[in-house]
Amino acid sequence: PVRRVLSPAPQQAATAAAGAPKLTGLTRPCNLSPELSKFMNRQQASRIEVVKAVWGHIKAHNLQKPEAKRIIVPDDALRGVINKTEVDMFTMQKDLHKHITDPLSKAK
């Protein structure tokens, strides 16, 4: 049997050729809660931008416990978003998720 190779749809090919980044769930701009907006100084950001900003703040202000680097002790600026005295780096994503809403998702 002969295999036919299908080319991508013309619109997809044009987008890929132009080099425009595809806005997926992680790179699509999302609405931020008032607390996270205050921390980020903007109303919208992608999930990746939020995580980069939070980790940049954590590293810049040395907010990880020296004896257990996976434990983060939020300062006043970060406490508005993560309302805990300590948070594990793996559960921090759950706390951030509460402050990010996808503008394309349907209201529940």
Side-chain angles (χ1 to χ4, degrees), residues 42 59 80:
R42 52 199 274 196
K59 296 285 187 178

Side-chain angles (χ1 to χ4, degrees), residues 34-107:
E35 297 86 5
L36 189 55
S37 293
K38 182 178 177 185
F39 177 79
M40 297 274 300
N41 292 322
R42 52 199 274 196
Q43 299 294 317
Q44 284 192 331
S46 70
R47 294 176 192 277
I48 290 176
E49 291 171 329
V50 170
V51 172
K52 282 183 180 181
V54 169
W55 272 106
H57 182 80
I58 290 169
K59 296 285 187 178
H61 294 89
N62 199 24
L63 299 179
Q64 291 174 287
K65 277 191 163 183
E67 65 275 2
K69 293 279 191 184
R70 61 184 254 176
I71 303 296
I72 291 133
V73 181
D75 61 356
D76 291 337
L78 197 54
R79 199 167 289 120
V81 178
I82 302 171
N83 196 14
K84 297 179 181 176
T85 55
E86 288 184 352
V87 64
D88 188 278
M89 66 191 299
F90 299 111
T91 60
M92 180 177 68
Q93 299 301 323
K94 288 184 199 176
D95 296 323
L96 291 177
H97 179 72
K98 298 172 189 174
H99 295 277
I100 302 170
T101 49
D102 188 350
L104 299 179
S105 69
K106 295 179 180 178

Side-chain angles (χ1 to χ4, degrees), residues 5-18:
V5 177
L6 300 176
S7 62
Q11 184 180 11
Q12 290 175 340
T15 303

